[in-house]
Amino acid sequence: MRQITLASQTSFEKYGRKSKREQFLETMEEIVPWAELSALIEPHYPKAGNGRQPVGFAIMLRVYFLQQWFNLSDPGVEDALYESPALRRFAGVDLGRSAAPDETTILRFRHLLEEHDLCGQMLDTVNLYLEHQGIRIGTGTIVDATIIHAPSSTKNSSGERDPEMHQTRKGQQWYFGAKAHIGVDAREGHVHSVCTSAASVSDVHMLGDLLHGEEKKVWGDGGYQGQTEVICRAAPEAQDMTCRRTRFQDSVDEEARRKNRTKSKVRAKVEHVFRILKRVIGFTKVRYRGLFKNHQWLCAAFALVNLYLHRKRLVPLGA
């Protein structure tokens, strides 16, 4: 083990306690499958040569995760590494030996993940790790979508809004941005499929891509009703459990309302995932222009959401 310099040592205060951030990072340190993710990404990472030496791969992967957990931009996470000893300890940055990765290095690492489409594979790797821990994807899938806001202002260098983002109306409110479509396991509650589209795209257009094909039942809200044929094509043995319309011009179908309430007890699990994404991680607005970059970011985010969702089952006993 490398000797730690005095620059990374904590001070000698008499009183102190671990902050919630430190407790969170200690938990993530225990449950993230570092070996599996390293085996996936490290073969694509630049190797040391005669020129400028690359920043350690382990540091860059941890910095990328810090961006996800604390909703930090490239320059934001660089500043945070200099400001927070807790973040430096987690990332393995020792200011007594070298500087923290700069924003350009962080950007290039993100581009590396995007170039090789590694974020989607990261989600698959995490789900495979969960399966080895006994948290398996079953035969039921819940489908749903959520809107991710994008800046609607044209006060930028191009003088126009992001052409790949569009607006949609929900209730009496208009929204501009992207839409994250997900397929969630009905038993364990974690994400196994992700699609990203403009906000104006209907939920039903992504339905077939959100199913893994071995479902016995598919749950969804009323926006997915009437899609039985699509479900049968994607999962031939699946039963359509989406909610049905209950209000008509002159009557209310009480039997359909009762069935919808029963279905919603299962379907509610998908909201837990969106809560972690938007309230715990804080991903309520797109960070980049274009759908591809935001799709890659969402895939990595949902991989970490899955780990956070099952953190109590993954932390080793006695930890």
Side-chain angles (χ1 to χ4, degrees), residues 265-308:
K265 293 178 181 178
V266 177
R267 195 177 61 79
K269 287 186 178 181
V270 74
E271 304 300 339
H272 300 171
V273 174
F274 289 143
R275 173 190 169 274
I276 296 172
L277 178 71
K278 292 190 172 184
R279 295 294 174 260
V280 177
I281 295 180
F283 190 81
T284 58
K285 293 183 179 180
V286 299
R287 182 163 295 283
Y288 312 108
R289 290 175 67 89
L291 292 177
F292 177 74
K293 290 184 178 182
N294 287 294
H295 175 70
Q296 296 292 320
W297 189 262
L298 279 169
C299 287
F302 281 121
L304 298 176
V305 166
N306 287 350
L307 292 170
Y308 182 85

Side-chain angles (χ1 to χ4, degrees), residues 201-310:
V201 175
S202 174
D203 296 358
V204 300
H205 288 258
M206 300 295 178
L207 177 56
D209 296 327
L210 300 179
L211 306 180
H212 54 68
E214 299 180 2
E215 285 89 357
K216 301 296 183 183
K217 294 183 179 181
V218 176
W219 284 269
D221 60 26
Y224 295 95
Q225 65 178 335
Q227 301 300 309
T228 305
E229 292 185 6
V230 177
I231 293 174
C232 290
R233 285 198 298 267
E237 299 182 5
Q239 179 183 358
D240 185 358
M241 300 293 291
T242 56
C243 292
R244 298 292 189 265
R245 181 184 177 188
T246 61
R247 292 183 178 273
F248 300 91
Q249 185 174 2
D250 300 320
S251 63
V252 175
D253 190 338
E254 294 295 342
E255 180 65 15
R257 291 185 65 182
R258 184 188 63 81
K259 291 182 179 179
N260 283 352
R261 284 195 294 268
T262 302
K263 294 173 184 177
S264 295
K265 293 178 181 178
V266 177
R267 195 177 61 79
K269 287 186 178 181
V270 74
E271 304 300 339
H272 300 171
V273 174
F274 289 143
R275 173 190 169 274
I276 296 172
L277 178 71
K278 292 190 172 184
R279 295 294 174 260
V280 177
I281 295 180
F283 190 81
T284 58
K285 293 183 179 180
V286 299
R287 182 163 295 283
Y288 312 108
R289 290 175 67 89
L291 292 177
F292 177 74
K293 290 184 178 182
N294 287 294
H295 175 70
Q296 296 292 320
W297 189 262
L298 279 169
C299 287
F302 281 121
L304 298 176
V305 166
N306 287 350
L307 292 170
Y308 182 85
L309 186 68
H310 298 294

Side-chain angles (χ1 to χ4, degrees), residues 116-181:
H116 299 283
D117 195 19
L118 293 175
C119 294
Q121 298 178 51
M122 193 182 299
L123 176 61
D124 295 335
T125 300
V126 167
N127 286 340
L128 183 60
Y129 169 74
L130 293 176
E131 183 177 346
H132 291 160
Q133 301 300 315
I135 307 173
R136 297 179 175 84
I137 295 175
T139 57
T141 292
I142 310 167
V143 292
D144 205 351
T146 187
I147 297 171
I148 309 293
H149 296 276
S152 58
S153 173
T154 58
K155 296 180 179 179
N156 50 52
S157 58
S158 63
E160 60 181 13
R161 300 190 301 184
D162 188 341
E164 295 187 27
M165 305 292 173
H166 295 283
Q167 64 183 13
T168 187
R169 184 178 180 179
K170 185 175 181 181
Q172 301 298 319
Q173 182 70 38
W174 285 92
Y175 300 91
F176 178 80
K179 185 178 287 186
H181 309 256

